[in-house]
Amino acid sequence: MTLSLTVPQESTLVAAALSSAKGDLFWDMFPYVYYIPGSEMFCRIFVVNPGDEDREYLLMARVSSSEAVISEDALKVNGNAWFPVDAEEKISLQGCLVLEESDVTLDILLYEKESGEVVDQVTTHLVEPKPIADANQLLAAVVPMLLLGSLGSMAGGVID
């Protein structure tokens, strides 16, 4: 598994409403993602330090299948495993994941250095797309979406 993350910019965040006292983790991945092994998968990860003191964090990527861990690797941020986040700040990390597996679960775990605990995590299921055998299957998959789309556009025209 490879991942290269960079910090494009930092931004201030009022963090009073966030749930974890030691850190929060968010990303832009859907719960299920079609993924072809070996291809690049872009993601943006947000790490929030809601506390009133600076903290250091580590991101761990865990790939598993049926409760068996396939791999577990620390993700480097600007070349380092641990990275700082100032008090009441949010950082945005972006990069590409490349995995050799599909039909697996990908967890990103956020570790807080002082406690050594996992303080938050995000999860997605990577599903390999299945080829469509013939044109009838393709039509059966596409026609309902086209009908819903045309009905939606007609309803939008009526509402306007």
Side-chain angles (χ1 to χ4, degrees):
M1 165 182 7
T2 59
L3 175 69
S4 172
L5 294 172
T6 58
V7 181
Q9 62 185 351
E10 292 189 26
S11 60
T12 303
L13 175 74
V14 177
L18 297 174
S19 60
S20 174
K22 294 183 180 175
D24 288 295
L25 180 64
F26 307 94
W27 70 350
D28 62 354
M29 299 290 284
F30 291 107
Y32 288 88
V33 175
Y34 285 116
Y35 181 70
I36 298 171
S39 63
E40 289 186 345
M41 178 175 44
F42 179 81
C43 69
R44 180 168 286 138
I45 298 173
F46 303 94
V47 178
V48 180
N49 178 359
D52 56 1
E53 59 186 57
D54 297 350
R55 295 186 186 275
E56 286 190 57
Y57 297 99
L58 172 120
L59 293 170
M60 184 73 69
R62 180 186 299 151
V63 177
S64 60
S65 177
S66 301
E67 304 302 321
V69 174
I70 297 169
S71 67
E72 194 169 64
D73 297 305
L75 304 179
K76 302 279 184 174
V77 176
N78 293 335
N80 300 307
W82 293 95
F83 58 94
V85 179
D86 294 337
E88 297 182 353
E89 290 286 321
K90 169 187 80 170
I91 62 169
S92 171
L93 308 169
Q94 59 188 13
C96 289
L97 282 166
V98 178
L99 303 174
E100 298 306 318
E101 302 86 8
S102 196
D103 297 322
V104 294
T105 300
L106 171 64
D107 298 306
I108 304 294
L109 309 166
L110 179 65
Y111 283 84
E112 191 271 327
K113 189 172 190 173
E114 186 176 311
S115 68
E117 298 175 345
V118 173
V119 295
D120 205 0
Q121 82 177 54
V122 291
T123 300
T124 191
H125 301 280
L126 303 177
V127 180
E128 190 163 3
K130 306 297 181 218
I132 295 177
D134 62 22
N136 289 334
Q137 284 182 322
L138 179 61
L139 286 174
V142 173
V143 168
M145 289 186 281
L146 292 174
L147 289 173
L148 285 174
S150 62
L151 289 173
S153 65
M154 287 190 296
V158 170
I159 293 172
D160 290 337

